[in-house]
Amino acid sequence: MAATFYQPAFTALTRWWAPDHVRALTVVTLAGGLASTVFAPLTAALADHLSRRHTYLVLVGILAAVTIPAHALALRAPWPDAPTSPAHAAEGAAKVGRSRPFLLLAVAFTLSGFAMYAVVVALVPLLLERGYTTSQAAWALGIGGAGQTLGRTLYATLARRTCRFAFPMPLSR
């Protein structure tokens, strides 16, 4: 899973490519967004012509053909040392973790993630129920990947043109 999911890839890229990690994250997200644009319709086409088991085997073969060489060739760099941080930062971590702003942010991220995955999981069955073909539903899902690609491209431009702020969070109230 760590070889194909965004979160482990983002963690590794942020560490390996710091301080220029936005560009590396953009490349991964562009590839991921385009992958869903390509593979949702491809999967639908395969499912129209093959059994479910054979469709999965073809997709596993494609995944293995792309990711195994990429990981064997590209992931050979040693894990960089962690950046040093001030000693006092660890003391306030427990207070920040229990603070109201942090908990609200955690709830917001959880709800956002749930909503995003609920939409992605429910989109194709919903469209099929409404009378769309499997291919049309797959294309609709793929368009979402293209939208993510556009959003990540615009984010990289925005990040280059704006400054990043560190908002101090009060540790006690």
Side-chain angles (χ1 to χ4, degrees):
M1 290 189 312
T4 57
F5 286 166
Y6 277 128
Q7 292 84 353
F10 284 2
T11 301
L13 289 173
T14 299
R15 191 77 168 273
W16 278 327
W17 289 82
D20 191 27
H21 63 279
V22 172
R23 185 172 15 162
L25 296 176
T26 301
V27 169
V28 168
T29 307
L30 290 173
L34 292 175
S36 63
T37 303
V38 170
F39 282 99
L42 174 65
T43 302
L46 287 171
D48 286 344
H49 299 290
L50 302 173
S51 70
R52 181 184 64 195
R53 212 172 258 169
H54 287 109
T55 298
Y56 282 136
L57 287 174
V58 169
L59 293 173
V60 164
I62 293 170
L63 179 67
V66 171
T67 59
I68 291 172
H71 285 84
L73 298 172
L75 296 180
R76 306 193 63 70
W79 191 254
D81 292 331
T84 58
S85 61
H88 61 78
E91 294 172 8
K95 289 181 182 178
V96 170
R98 288 187 299 263
S99 70
R100 185 166 195 251
F102 181 82
L103 293 174
L104 289 173
L105 183 63
V107 168
F109 280 150
T110 301
L111 292 174
S112 173
F114 176 75
M116 180 66 176
Y117 287 112
V119 167
V120 169
V121 168
L123 179 64
V124 172
L126 176 69
L127 292 174
L128 291 175
E129 185 178 290
R130 301 283 179 169
Y132 290 89
T133 66
T134 304
S135 293
Q136 290 170 327
W139 276 105
L141 183 64
I143 289 170
Q148 289 176 344
T149 301
L150 176 62
R152 176 52 75 173
T153 303
L154 296 175
Y155 172 76
T157 303
L158 180 67
R160 275 195 309 274
R161 295 176 186 251
T162 60
C163 62
R164 296 178 191 123
F165 295 100
F167 294 102
M169 187 182 309
L171 296 178
S172 60
R173 289 197 170 205

